[in-house]
Amino acid sequence: GAVVSQHPSWVICKSGTSVKIECRSLDFQATTMFWYRQFPKQSLMLMATSNEGSKATYEQGVEKDKFLINHASLTLSTLTVTSAHPEDSSFYICSAPTLGTGNGYTFGSGTRLTVV
Amino acid sequence: GEDVEQSLFLSVREGDSSVINCTYTDSSSTYLYWYKQEPGAGLQLLTYIFSNMDMKQDQRLTVLLNKKDKHLSLRIADTQTGDSAIYFCADFMDTGRRALTFGSGTRLQVQP
């Protein structure tokens, strides 16, 4: 079945540094990728929608300059957390629609970011 | 905007049935999904139902949809300890940004 590979699975970084998270669709093309953020014991909140070859669409309240999204190819989307702060610590998950809506969306395994 | 709600916690004994409930607000939802999340992991699609269906059964899983009341449920028969996880319902509308809207998640605890 469809697989979305997300890396890294966890990362610890210092405040002020930037972290890049990658999501690759391994056996299908993903013209769209959704990026979610999940706080502990909470639901997934959609941050942005990345579109191959065009600018990402950000949800209200999400800083586009802080969370840079690039979707340079049909199989790769990246989220870069710039100038990270401890409040950016969270679980980030990407997702891509697969094989028609009824088959759902395939999710990456998530990246746990801890900013110290 | 769309709102999806779930109860936060459910505890059952091994072998019993579990029923996880979900309500949503937007009547234009076309698909409704159930996902399972184990600690520190991504989401695993369990099952889904199209909005014109009332019920769908897949092995131990039964999904019931009451479109009039905008109520969705997931029944897990013969619940096992390996079923302990967080279960999210999510809905999809075939308009706008076409992303899923998730409920808050229900933590299922299965006691041996």
Side-chain angles (χ1 to χ4, degrees):
Chain A
V3 175
V4 171
S5 175
Q6 183 172 347
H7 293 282
S9 54
W10 61 270
V11 58
I12 302 172
C13 71
K14 292 185 178 180
S15 289
T17 61
S18 296
V19 173
K20 180 185 282 188
I21 302 169
E22 292 188 350
C23 272
R24 294 180 184 273
S25 54
L26 295 188
D27 47 5
F28 67 102
Q29 293 183 335
T31 56
T32 300
M33 195 82 79
F34 300 102
W35 287 93
Y36 292 86
R37 181 175 182 176
Q38 185 181 29
F39 291 102
K41 298 184 180 180
Q42 293 190 29
S43 187
L44 284 76
M45 301 302 297
L46 181 67
M47 298 174 64
T49 304
S50 75
N51 301 292
E52 187 269 333
S54 64
K55 290 184 179 180
T57 304
Y58 289 82
E59 295 299 302
Q60 192 172 5
V62 178
E63 298 176 61
K64 62 178 70 174
D65 294 331
K66 179 164 193 60
F67 299 100
L68 299 179
I69 289 174
N70 185 278
H71 197 145
S73 76
L74 288 170
T75 59
L76 175 63
S77 176
T78 62
L79 167 67
T80 301
V81 183
T82 63
S83 186
H85 289 281
E87 57 264 30
D88 299 325
S89 299
S90 192
F91 194 58
Y92 295 87
I93 309 178
C94 61
S95 148
T98 50
L99 300 176
T101 314
N103 289 325
Y105 292 66
T106 299
F107 284 80
S109 53
T111 298
R112 182 161 303 284
L113 171 64
T114 302
V115 185
V116 298
Chain B
E2 169 68 340
D3 192 23
V4 180
E5 294 190 357
Q6 299 177 238
S7 52
L8 293 181
F9 184 76
L10 175 66
S11 180
V12 301
R13 290 195 178 277
E14 192 172 20
D16 289 348
S17 292
S18 307
V19 179
I20 302 171
N21 295 301
C22 172
T23 58
Y24 58 100
T25 56
D26 200 312
S27 58
S28 59
S29 298
T30 50
Y31 287 93
L32 294 126
Y33 299 90
W34 284 102
Y35 283 88
K36 177 183 180 182
Q37 185 181 36
E38 300 191 42
L43 275 73
Q44 173 195 354
L45 176 65
L46 289 178
T47 187
Y48 65 93
I49 189 167
F50 188 46
S51 59
N52 69 353
M53 298 169 64
D54 298 324
M55 186 183 88
K56 180 178 180 180
Q57 186 158 3
D58 184 2
Q59 298 182 338
R60 293 192 296 125
L61 305 178
T62 302
V63 179
L64 295 178
L65 175 60
N66 182 327
K67 198 172 180 182
K68 173 175 170 289
D69 294 338
K70 301 188 185 68
H71 181 267
L72 180 74
S73 68
L74 173 69
R75 178 178 180 270
I76 305 173
D78 188 25
T79 313
Q80 303 297 307
T81 54
D83 295 324
S84 294
I86 300 176
Y87 291 81
F88 291 95
C89 63
D91 81 340
F92 171 84
M93 288 178 283
D94 204 6
T95 57
R97 50 173 158 68
R98 301 170 65 89
L100 298 179
T101 300
F102 285 87
S104 53
T106 300
R107 182 177 295 274
L108 174 64
Q109 181 181 72
V110 182
Q111 298 174 338

